[in-house]
Amino acid sequence: MFVELDTIRWLWPEIVLVILASWIYVGHTFRQDRLAWTIVAAAAYVVAGFALFWQVWTSGPEFWIAFQAGQGFSSGPLSIDFLGTGIRWLAVAMGLLFTLVGSQLTSRESAGEFFATLMLLVVGIMLVASADELVLLFVGLELISIPTYVLLVLGRRGRANAEASAKYFFLSIFSSAILLYGLSFLYGVTGTTNLSQVELPRIAAASAGGMSHLLPSAIAMVLILSGLGFKIAAVPFHFYAPDVYQGTTNANAGLLAVAPKIGGIVALVRLTFVLAPHLAEFAWQMTIVLCVLSMTIGNICALWQTNVRRLMAYSSIAHAGYMLIGLAAGLAAPESGGVAATLLYLLVYVLASLGTFAALAYLGSEESEVGELDELAGLGRRQPAAAGAIAVCMFSLAGIPPLAGFWGKLSLFAGAITVWNEPLERGGSLWFIVLAVAGAINAAIAAAYYLRVVSVMFFRAPTSEVPAKGGIGAWSAMAACCVLVLLIGFLPGQFVRFADIAGKAAIRKKTGAEWISTAEPQKQRHVLQARAERIPADSP
Amino acid sequence: METLLVITIFLPLVGAAMMWPFAALGRMYVRWAALAVTLVTLVLTCVLVQNFPADGSDAGQFAVVSDTWVQTAAFDIEFSVGLDGLGLWLFAISAVLMVTSVLVSWRAITSRAALFYAMLLLLEFGCLGVFSARDIILFYVFFEFTLIPLFFLIGIWGSSERRYAAVKFFLFTLAGSLLTFLGLLAIVIWHAGHTGEVTFSIPRLTESLSELALRGDGMSQSLQMWIFVALMAGFAVKVPLFPFHTWLPLAHTEAPTAGSVFLAGILLKIGTYGFLRFNVPMLPDATIYFTPWILGVSAVGIIYGALVALAQSDMKRLIAYSSVSHLGFCMVGVFALNHLGVQGGTLQMVNHGISTGALFALIGMLYERYHTREIRKLGGVARRTPVLALFMLLFALSSIGLPGTNGFAGEFLLLIGMFQRAFFDLPEMWSGGNMRVLFWTVSIAALFGVVMGAWYMLWLVQRIFFGPLREPEDDKHHEVVRDLSLREVMALVPLAVLVIWIGVWPKFFLDRMQPTLNQSTHAVQMRLSSPVTLDSQLSTLDPPPSTRSD
């Protein structure tokens, strides 16, 4: 049941990346050429991205139509739907951008290792994105964490770096254990490790017996939320973030801000909705608490930071809070578009955050990193391109239109207000207006420190020179992020729709009704086709 | 016309992008290019105004362009622009003031000129968009977008306290407008949930909501009040209403001249415009509930602004505080909630844009000559610069509201409106003892504010321009102080023409805006003036409106 030929076909991009990563590991010991390995790694991502397109392309138009309606099917341990595919694209793009950032900034001796480890991490995100199986999901999450330990150690030597690595290592292991414990409860409740085979009636029967019967699922929910809360750096699981970000390089800090967040959010979306139908209220209440705490503490602590990486660490904590707004809304009322909002926000956050760190990395050199805010003074005159890119990313993170971040905030707030507007029996709650107001106030607080970065760069006279030796790679990664942020800002249509479809896929799964197995491919195609004829009214 | 409107809005954006290649050629080319762009925009705007129906009929349909922008299952956001009576004149004044802004920066801006003019043009793009947007999200996008260029204008080219001023300005406005954003979303989502029609279109929502309200099927009053407060958070900061005004004097004083001109002339109006565009037509019950409060706060603002203006020793701060006072007048007019008051208030928004914009420009010109903004360091300047003094006197008189200038037309109308409301037409719900006194006090305070306006304005002109000649003694300026150059005169002439034009023939302007304004206050007026007929209309409906509005 586990491995079918079809499953292998769907895993092609991951397989390509793993093979090439191994090749780079081995090859690097023979030939320490940074440029060559950059090209190999970049080519690998291009091939993987192409393979992803190819999969969808060769599956025929009816498949794409079903995808657009938010439908999917499972193939062995994989769930093939737009949520998975979209995040896999994002992961590949992220890998490519970080490879470019590292192209002239990693030390020559460890360049190959950096690229190969990064590639494994990307594979980890891709596995999490399409995992339909608890075990695969966990393996994927570990495949994000373990390469991260290596990357942290591969960064600069020094006490701060050692402290950062150790801190991250221990806390990450701890959180993985908590998550695993949660997954075991989930298995105990549902009797299966396959998410799409969770039998809702069985849980419902258990829940009919009152709270004492619900307790195991509630424990599972709490443990899963805390385990994954660490990955996305939500308060109160955020303590490691500022120290670790500050202790490491800009490229690594960027990776920490982005990669675990993608993995964590997707895993949250996948897992919480399995338990949602009967635990929805408990789940969204807990999520709201996490969310308000993360936003408020993240933003307020960021106000006083003088180190850019520390500031960005607190900002990433706050953004984890924003993403949870959508999740809470989605849990309370699945049709509110909350999950889609979370996924859109994830996309715009990833781009703006990556752009900022790419620009910071570009401003540094192999030996010295830009760290203190004061080092950025007068950047608007000396490095207009980098300063402009950081400013665009900052305004986007602050959610000022017409940049990408605005559309993320728009859909989050719209999701929360929609839930509030729903009648009570359909999951409406007054708490969501409180949540939206908390989000709005937090966005204003957040603007204060993002503006501070901009004002230091543009309104202050230069004090010291920055090396700006990131090279063409980091520059183009920065420029690409910046252009994407502007593009999503001005023409958000297609991206909002993608998030919408992915969100639908996540919710659809919850009901389980639309789910089909790949046991009979012929029949499956037939079903998809039949459905495709039915949907046009539904698909945009 | 449709294409023309879109071209007019986007021309400054294209111009801003053009500054980049021009930057390499030098400052000379940059400013001529910027001037050319603003002039073409102005000409196109004039064509639009000329084609606008003279009686304002069908105003909602003028030059409407709609195209899908973001469409999903949940959203249907359109890129939809068009001009109506409310937006028309503010749109036009934005185009006029931008020419003035470019001309007054001609010599004042020496560093990074290309970036400066690019920011000015972006600001114009934002303002033209705000006043023509017909989609709630589009409006909000433009509304917030105006913050970015002004933030840079103040922060890079401002005077000594510029960093603090820029950040304070940005944060104050943003904090308020995020709540506005929630309010706007709440309106759309409530409407979608209630009627099943997901629309972000402002005219459609206005129509539908006031219809629902008149049918007694609208939002509950408590919900309206919450949304009203949320919307007001942003607009009140922008106006600025009395306790939220502290960002304004700072931003004005620190901004470069062009920034002050545009901030005072256009950006403050977005607040009052927002009240008239969203609060009044869409939330009639809450508007009625909050009117006494807003009138009270506006009256306090009028008197407070005037008193503080009297005490200023810095010319720019004086004009800034006078703005607080004048915007209070606009608010009083709008919340008199009758035809005359709303027309006067709207006309006064335009008037204030013209005269205060011009006053800031004049003070910038004085500053370029004497490098000081201290009133006591100057005296008898009219002997040196008679033309400057002439313009100053003209705009000061227009700001006071001398008959024959634009200020008179606006203030007279809005004061009549307010007096009519307070003394002759006070609805039953407000005729209790305290309320009556409040309305009387507000109208008399407004009248008093006019007198105080004359006091601080004429006193300012007298101290600077008349009496014995006094000039700063520090060594900074050796060159002979010249009178206005042709460029500076050209910057002021269009505004002077408008001052006289509106003063002598306000009908030209009022006719075009009247129908739209009547429409936007329709629901409120129905609620206020004829509760009896309203009841009889609704007697068949269930539940009765009297229980609903409580």
Side-chain angles (χ1 to χ4, degrees), chain B residues 275-344:
Chain B
F275 274 111
L276 259 179
R277 182 64 91 200
F278 298 102
N279 291 34
V280 176
M282 292 187 188
L283 308 165
D285 293 327
T287 304
I288 292 171
Y289 180 85
F290 281 109
T291 292
W293 296 92
I294 293 184
L295 284 176
V297 171
S298 310
V300 172
I302 291 177
I303 300 297
Y304 172 85
L307 283 176
V308 180
L310 266 176
Q312 293 307 311
S313 59
D314 180 318
M315 300 186 262
K316 226 173 170 183
R317 281 188 95 85
L318 190 148
I319 306 291
Y321 276 106
S322 86
S323 289
V324 176
S325 180
H326 282 261
L327 266 295
F329 282 112
C330 295
M331 290 299 288
V332 165
V334 169
F335 279 86
L337 296 177
N338 50 20
H339 287 176
L340 288 176
V342 174
Q343 281 176 30

Side-chain angles (χ1 to χ4, degrees), chain A residues 401 421 440 447 459-460 490, chain B residues 69 72 144 162-163 174 178 189:
Chain A
N421 194 44
F459 306 162
R460 264 177 49 182
F490 282 102
Chain B
W69 192 18
T72 66
E144 291 267 285
R162 61 183 197 278
R163 286 181 59 198
L174 183 72
L178 279 165
I189 290 169

Side-chain angles (χ1 to χ4, degrees), chain A residues 306-396:
Chain A
T306 55
N307 184 292
V308 189
R309 284 199 293 277
R310 238 184 141 73
L311 185 144
M312 287 303 288
Y314 280 112
S315 131
S316 96
I317 293 168
H319 285 289
Y322 288 119
M323 289 175 211
L324 291 178
I325 295 182
L327 188 67
L331 284 169
E335 298 300 321
S336 65
V339 181
T342 298
L343 295 171
L344 181 66
Y345 202 87
L346 181 68
L347 172 68
V348 299
Y349 164 78
V350 163
L351 288 176
S353 197
L354 216 160
T356 310
F357 280 111
L360 289 174
Y362 166 76
L363 292 172
S365 70
E366 208 180 310
E367 292 80 28
S368 73
E369 294 275 333
V370 172
E372 292 302 311
L373 205 49
D374 289 337
E375 288 175 58
L376 298 180
L379 212 60
R381 270 168 185 272
R382 287 173 300 145
Q383 297 285 341
I390 295 180
V392 166
C393 292
M394 288 291 143
F395 281 124
S396 174

Side-chain angles (χ1 to χ4, degrees), chain A residues 380-381 391 395 398-403 406-407 409-411 413-415 417-418 420-421 433 436-437 440-441 443-445 447-448 451-452 454-456 458-460 489-493 496-497 500 504 538 540, chain B residues 13 69-75 77 111-112 115 125 137 140-142 144-145 147-148 151-156 162-163 166-167 170-171 174-175 178-179 181-183 185-186 189-194 200 223 227:
Chain A
R381 270 168 185 272
F395 281 124
I400 311 286
L403 296 167
F406 168 70
W407 298 102
K409 291 231 161 70
L410 166 68
S411 37
F413 292 161
I417 295 176
T418 308
W420 155 77
N421 194 44
I433 202 73
V437 172
I441 292 172
I445 300 176
L451 282 186
R452 197 153 57 92
V454 178
S455 91
V456 165
F458 284 91
F459 306 162
R460 264 177 49 182
F490 282 102
L491 299 170
V496 174
R497 264 183 56 194
D500 209 40
K504 250 194 233 162
D538 189 35
Chain B
L13 181 67
W69 192 18
V70 185
Q71 195 178 32
T72 66
F75 300 145
I77 300 170
S111 72
R112 290 200 263 181
L115 190 59
F125 167 62
I137 301 297
Y140 186 78
V141 166
F142 279 123
E144 291 267 285
F145 175 67
L147 298 184
I148 300 179
F151 174 71
F152 284 108
L153 283 177
I154 298 177
I156 300 184
R162 61 183 197 278
R163 286 181 59 198
V167 172
F170 199 109
L171 289 182
L174 183 72
L178 279 165
L179 291 177
F181 183 45
L182 291 185
L185 282 180
I189 290 169
W190 180 87
H191 182 258
H194 193 73
F200 286 85
L223 179 58
I227 297 182

Side-chain angles (χ1 to χ4, degrees), chain B residues 334-531:
Chain B
V334 169
F335 279 86
L337 296 177
N338 50 20
H339 287 176
L340 288 176
V342 174
Q343 281 176 30
T346 315
L347 189 61
Q348 190 60 15
M349 290 182 212
V350 179
N351 293 340
H352 177 260
I354 297 168
S355 34
T356 308
L359 286 172
F360 272 118
L362 282 162
I363 293 200
M365 292 169 186
L366 262 182
Y367 182 79
E368 270 177 50
R369 286 170 173 72
Y370 289 107
H371 303 284
T372 181
R373 295 192 309 248
E374 288 289 306
I375 297 172
R376 61 183 169 74
K377 286 192 183 162
L378 295 173
V381 177
R383 289 164 206 226
R384 293 269 192 202
T385 59
V387 182
L388 200 160
L390 178 72
F391 275 111
M392 186 77 181
L393 195 61
L394 173 71
F395 289 115
L397 290 176
S398 114
S399 167
I400 294 164
L402 185 82
T405 62
N406 59 350
F408 178 72
E411 279 183 2
F412 187 66
L413 274 176
L414 74 86
L415 285 175
I416 289 188
M418 188 61 217
F419 272 82
Q420 190 187 3
R421 175 59 78 209
F423 291 95
F424 303 105
D425 192 18
L426 202 59
E428 218 168 306
M429 68 192 83
W430 289 330
S431 46
N434 292 335
M435 278 296 178
R436 192 180 287 271
V437 172
L438 175 82
F439 275 80
W440 291 353
T441 321
V442 169
S443 25
I444 291 173
L447 200 59
F448 195 59
V450 178
V451 179
M452 306 234 313
W455 183 7
Y456 62 71
M457 228 15 137
L458 290 177
W459 195 33
L460 171 76
V461 175
Q462 186 217 338
R463 281 181 291 176
I464 295 179
F465 289 97
F466 302 108
L469 186 65
R470 186 157 12 105
E471 292 179 317
E473 281 152 19
D474 44 340
D475 302 331
K476 262 193 186 162
H477 83 108
H478 291 294
E479 78 268 42
V480 182
V481 173
R482 290 172 188 280
D483 205 352
L484 293 189
S485 65
L486 183 63
R487 162 183 67 83
E488 287 167 322
V489 173
M490 289 320 291
L492 295 171
V493 161
L495 299 175
V497 169
L498 280 172
V499 163
I500 305 296
W501 188 0
I502 301 180
V504 175
W505 193 22
K507 194 167 175 310
F508 179 83
F509 295 83
L510 289 173
D511 278 352
R512 280 165 176 72
M513 57 169 125
Q514 211 164 0
T516 314
L517 296 181
N518 292 353
Q519 210 177 333
S520 61
T521 50
H522 178 68
V524 174
Q525 300 237 20
M526 287 291 282
R527 272 276 199 274
L528 275 180
S529 58
S530 49

Side-chain angles (χ1 to χ4, degrees), chain A residues 39 41 107 127 152 158 178 181 219 223 253 305 315 332 345 354 382 496 526 535:
Chain A
I39 293 170
S107 67
L127 287 182
L152 283 176
I178 292 177
Y181 196 37
I219 294 177
L223 292 174
Q305 302 308 321
S315 131
Y345 202 87
L354 216 160
R382 287 173 300 145
V496 174
H526 186 69
I535 25 185

